[in-house]
Amino acid sequence: DIYVLNTSSSSSPNGFQVVVVLSVTDLDGIRLDNSVFTDIGTSYLHIFPAAIADLAGVPVAEAVVQATLFVGDSTHPQISSFDLDLNLGLLALQFNKIMSATSFSFGCLVLQSTSTLAFGRGVTISNASTVNSSNGHVITISLSSSDLNALKFNGVALARNQTWLAICNNSAQDTACLCSIGVFDGVNALVVSSYVPYTTAP
């Protein structure tokens, strides 16, 4: 497999070495591919004459070169925000890295009415709910009818300022199999970003 760089750039001075800084778009594309740059055995550079020339204007010769050093991704992903649409029953978790949607595990994702559970109520989203998204920055969860009813019964997520989220470490993995960092009740729980309340009559 190959990945063609699109928006990465270099500001290196003239010389024998050119350093290319990967853009966020290209990093995400590589992470989504998950078959290139996973280790030194999958790390090759295919350069074409149109890529660069020497000071005399002579284009570089086309070549395929394997990396001599590989440093893997070691940054753990973290949830950055979340959206809730109660009409559609969808909970969208936004992460700062490309996530493996199938890695998500239920059991420690809590929607709560306040940032500190001691002063409110919470509902742990059960595995009756399901993930319905592919790999990407957003993991979208279809909330089960039992979880939606539990939110209503406990007075959770009835308004934007009553919709907070806490989630434990290791609830999901990125495409490099690095476990996610949680946000915690009473410490750094997140308030909902986009909130759509119930507007459909029962």
Side-chain angles (χ1 to χ4, degrees):
D1 289 347
I2 63 170
Y3 179 82
V4 179
L5 298 182
N6 293 296
T7 58
S8 297
S9 61
S10 175
S11 58
S12 295
N14 295 338
F16 288 99
Q17 184 181 66
V18 176
V19 177
V20 175
V21 178
L22 295 176
S23 66
V24 173
T25 300
D26 284 334
L27 269 175
D28 284 350
I30 291 168
R31 288 166 175 161
L32 271 172
D33 186 295
N34 205 31
S35 63
V36 294
F37 298 107
T38 58
D39 53 34
I40 200 164
T42 58
S43 300
Y44 289 82
L45 173 68
H46 189 172
I47 191 165
F48 294 90
I52 194 170
D54 66 16
L55 294 178
V58 179
V60 67
E62 182 176 348
V64 177
V65 183
Q66 186 176 14
T68 56
L69 175 67
F70 178 84
V71 179
D73 188 355
S74 60
T75 302
H76 288 264
Q78 186 167 12
I79 185 171
S80 54
S81 63
F82 77 101
D83 302 328
L84 179 63
D85 187 326
L86 290 171
N87 271 334
L88 298 177
L90 294 179
L91 174 65
L93 311 179
Q94 176 82 36
F95 289 84
N96 63 346
K97 293 183 68 181
I98 298 292
M99 304 300 291
S100 171
T102 57
S103 71
F104 187 83
S105 59
F106 292 91
C108 65
L109 168 60
V110 180
L111 290 179
Q112 47 198 66
S113 59
T114 57
S115 61
T116 302
L117 201 52
F119 302 109
R121 288 187 167 187
V123 172
T124 300
I125 302 304
S126 71
N127 58 11
S129 295
T130 57
V131 173
N132 69 355
S133 57
S134 55
N135 294 352
H137 281 284
V138 179
I139 292 179
T140 302
I141 296 169
S142 293
L143 296 173
S144 67
S145 58
S146 58
D147 284 338
L148 287 169
N149 286 335
L151 292 174
K152 294 176 185 177
F153 180 80
N154 287 282
V156 176
L158 298 182
R160 184 180 184 277
N161 63 355
Q162 297 174 9
T163 307
W164 295 77
L165 179 144
I167 189 169
C168 64
N169 291 329
N170 308 325
S171 59
Q173 295 180 344
D174 66 13
T175 52
C177 297
L178 295 168
C179 293
S180 60
I181 298 171
V183 291
F184 303 99
D185 169 49
V187 179
N188 58 347
L190 298 175
V191 68
V192 68
S193 293
S194 174
Y195 173 81
V196 179
Y198 294 106
T199 58
T200 303

